[in-house]
Amino acid sequence: PIGIDPDEFHALKEHPAVLEAERGIVETRPELLIVRVDRTDPSKNVVRGFRAFALLFQRYPDLAGRVGMLALLDPSRQDLASYSEYLVAIQRTARSVNDHFQTEGWTPIELRIEDNFLQAVAAYKQYDVLLVNAIFDGVNLVAKEAPLINERNGVLILSENAGAHQELHEWAVSVNPFDIAGQADASHPALAMPAE
C-alpha cells in the first residue's frame, strides 16, 4: 500500500487556485454532486461509469435535475491508438447521456479534459459521492486523497479491484467495476445516505 501526505493536502485545500476553482464548482453545482477524477486510461472504466450514471436516472427518475457528475479527466498516452480511441468513446458517451437526459438549466455530466490537479483538489472538497470504479488499479490514490479533505460528508464508491479497496472497503460502498447495474444501484443509497 502507498500512503499519501495528509499535511500536503490540508495545505493544498487552502491554495488560492483551489479556492477559486471551488467557488466555481459551488456556484454551478446541482443539489448533489458525483465527482470522478481519473486519467483517460481504459483501465479507469470511465465509459461504464457514465453508463451507470445514465441507468441511475432510468431507475430513479426523481434524481433528474438534482444530481450531476463532474468528471475531471487527465488525457493519458494519446500517442497510443487504443487510448485516443477510448478518449473519443468517453466524449461520445458523455454527449449521449447529456443529449438524452439534460433539461433547461441542468446538464447531467460536466466533462473537463485537462491536466489540472488544483481543480481536482477543489472537487475533492465538494463531492457528495466520489466514484472510483477502475477495472484494475494498483492502488488509486484518489480514493485516499479526496476523503481526507472532503467537506460534505461525501461517500466513496470504490471498485473492489482497486488496490485501495483492501484498506478502505470498510468505509466505502464497494462495486464490481464490470457491473453497470450494480454501480447504478450503489449510487442511489450513496446519494441518500444520512450525514452521520
Side-chain angles (χ1 to χ4, degrees):
I2 297 174
I4 59 172
D5 181 351
D7 292 339
E8 176 190 1
F9 281 90
H10 285 298
L12 274 173
K13 73 178 187 177
E14 302 302 329
H15 189 285
V18 169
L19 296 176
E20 182 180 349
E22 185 181 12
R23 277 191 294 275
I25 293 169
V26 169
E27 288 170 4
T28 60
R29 63 168 290 136
E31 177 186 343
L32 297 166
L33 183 64
I34 298 174
V35 167
R36 71 173 307 139
V37 175
D38 284 303
R39 295 188 317 277
T40 58
D41 181 322
S43 72
K44 298 300 185 180
N45 210 21
V46 177
V47 169
R48 281 193 188 92
F50 287 172
R51 289 179 180 160
F53 190 55
L55 186 56
L56 177 69
F57 294 122
Q58 292 173 12
R59 293 189 171 183
Y60 306 98
D62 59 304
L63 293 178
R66 296 179 52 219
V67 179
M69 178 182 285
L70 175 58
L72 304 178
L73 306 181
D74 185 358
S76 176
R77 304 177 76 182
Q78 291 302 292
D79 53 323
L80 297 178
S82 60
Y83 281 68
S84 59
E85 289 164 7
Y86 192 68
L87 176 54
V88 171
I90 288 170
Q91 294 169 313
R92 185 173 51 242
T93 306
R95 188 166 48 248
S96 174
V97 173
N98 287 340
D99 287 349
H100 188 79
F101 291 102
Q102 71 184 348
T103 58
E104 186 175 345
W106 174 69
T107 302
I109 297 174
E110 182 179 354
L111 177 60
R112 300 182 190 175
I113 300 172
E114 59 181 316
D115 179 5
N116 189 336
F117 180 64
L118 295 179
Q119 179 178 246
V121 173
Y124 287 173
K125 295 172 69 177
Q126 284 297 317
Y127 71 83
D128 296 292
V129 171
L130 178 71
L131 177 61
V132 178
N133 69 327
I135 293 173
F136 289 105
D137 223 335
V139 178
N140 194 293
L141 294 178
V142 169
K144 294 185 175 188
E145 295 166 353
L148 183 67
I149 59 171
N150 180 258
E151 297 181 350
R152 294 184 59 85
N153 296 309
V155 177
L156 171 62
I157 295 178
L158 182 59
S159 167
E160 61 193 17
N161 289 352
H165 189 268
Q166 178 182 348
E167 299 172 278
L168 301 179
H169 67 91
E170 194 175 338
W171 302 281
V173 177
S174 299
V175 291
N176 180 319
F178 299 100
D179 184 357
I180 292 172
Q183 291 173 55
D185 288 340
S187 296
H188 187 257
L191 288 162
M193 194 177 292
E196 62 271 19

